[in-house]
Amino acid sequence: LQDLSKAITLGPEHLSWYQLAIEPNTAFYRHPPELPDDDEVYAAYEAGRALLRDHGYLQYEVSAYARAGAECRHNRNYWEFGDYLGIGAGAHGKLSDLGSRRIVRSAKRAKPLSYMNGSYMNGAGSPAAIVEGSELTEAQLTVEFMMNALRLCAGFPLSLFTERTGLPVEAISDTLDAASERGLIEVRAGWIRPTEWGYRYLNELVYLFYRDEPDAPRGAVA
C-alpha cells in the first residue's frame, strides 16, 4: 500500500499492479525471498484495489488500472486475442488466417547473440531465429481466447469469440451455460463478463473450457 501510495502521488494515468512471478535464471530464483501465503496475498490485492479505486483508477483487467479513457490499447490487444508480431530476441508472435482457420504462435531465440547469429533464412525458407512455432488446435483456441478475454473486468461481446478464433459460438455454448449456472459469468444481450466470484476464481472459470488437457491450472487469481 505504501508503494502504491507513492506511485499515485506521481499522477500516472495507468498503473500495472500485480504479484511478480519468480522466473528461472533470475537472482530471486537462485535465492528465493520469503513469500507471503495466499491469504496475505489476497488481502493485499483487495486493499490495493480499494486504494486505487478511491483515487480514480478503474481496474479494467486483472493487473491493469487506469484513469477514465487511459486504458492501454497494447494490453487490450492481447486480452482481446488480437494478433501481434514478435520482433527481436525472445519475442513471441501470434498471426491469424481465419480464412483457413489457422492461428500460429511463434517464439524467437531468447539470447541476443544466438538470435543475431540465427537471423537468416534457412533452407526451408523460414527465419532460423524462430525456435518455436505451433498452430493452435480448436481446443487450444477456445481455452486461450477465454484465458485472455475473461481477464477483462467489463467482459466482451460474444461475437468477438468467432471474430478472433473462426469458431462458431456453439462450440462454447454448453460451457457458458455451465459457468453461468455456477454463478461465475453473466451472459446478457450477447455480452459476457465474469461475476465478482468468477473474477476471484478466474483459473477455475477458465478450467471449465479445457478439453482433453488434464493439467489445466486451477485456483484463485490474485
Side-chain angles (χ1 to χ4, degrees), residues 171-208:
I172 56 172
S173 296
D174 289 346
T175 309
L176 291 177
D177 290 342
S180 181
E181 289 174 3
R182 297 187 189 190
L184 298 174
I185 62 170
E186 295 177 355
V187 183
R188 294 182 181 176
W191 193 272
I192 297 174
R193 67 178 295 274
T195 62
E196 183 65 28
W197 184 251
Y199 212 61
R200 179 175 178 179
Y201 289 94
L202 194 54
N203 285 346
E204 292 288 346
L205 173 53
V206 172
Y207 182 82
L208 296 178

Side-chain angles (χ1 to χ4, degrees), residues 30-43:
R30 292 189 293 272
H31 306 285
E34 183 177 348
L35 297 175
D37 62 30
D38 289 345
D39 288 340
E40 290 174 312
V41 170
Y42 188 71

Side-chain angles (χ1 to χ4, degrees), residues 100-105 133-137 140:
S100 61
R101 287 195 174 183
R102 294 184 72 243
I103 295 181
V104 178
R105 288 197 180 280
S134 60
E135 182 176 339
L136 300 181
T137 65
Q140 289 171 328

Side-chain angles (χ1 to χ4, degrees), residues 51-157:
L51 179 65
L52 288 165
R53 183 173 58 248
D54 290 345
H55 284 83
Y57 292 93
L58 304 177
Q59 184 181 17
Y60 68 94
E61 187 268 331
V62 168
S63 61
Y65 303 75
R67 304 268 190 205
E71 295 181 0
C72 178
R73 288 178 293 174
H74 175 91
N75 286 356
R76 287 199 66 103
N77 183 55
Y78 287 132
W79 311 140
E80 293 172 353
F81 209 52
D83 284 353
Y84 47 92
L85 289 172
I87 301 175
H92 289 244
K94 170 183 172 285
L95 293 175
S96 302
D97 179 359
L98 296 184
S100 61
R101 287 195 174 183
R102 294 184 72 243
I103 295 181
V104 178
R105 288 197 180 280
S106 64
K108 302 290 182 66
R109 296 179 187 273
K111 295 183 179 180
L113 183 60
S114 176
Y115 169 81
M116 288 188 290
N117 288 338
S119 292
Y120 55 86
M121 302 301 286
N122 63 20
S126 60
I130 294 180
V131 293
E132 182 180 336
S134 60
E135 182 176 339
L136 300 181
T137 65
E138 181 176 320
Q140 289 171 328
L141 282 174
T142 299
V143 171
E144 290 203 21
F145 176 89
M146 289 299 175
M147 189 180 294
N148 284 282
L150 287 171
R151 292 175 66 100
L152 293 167
C153 296
F156 57 92

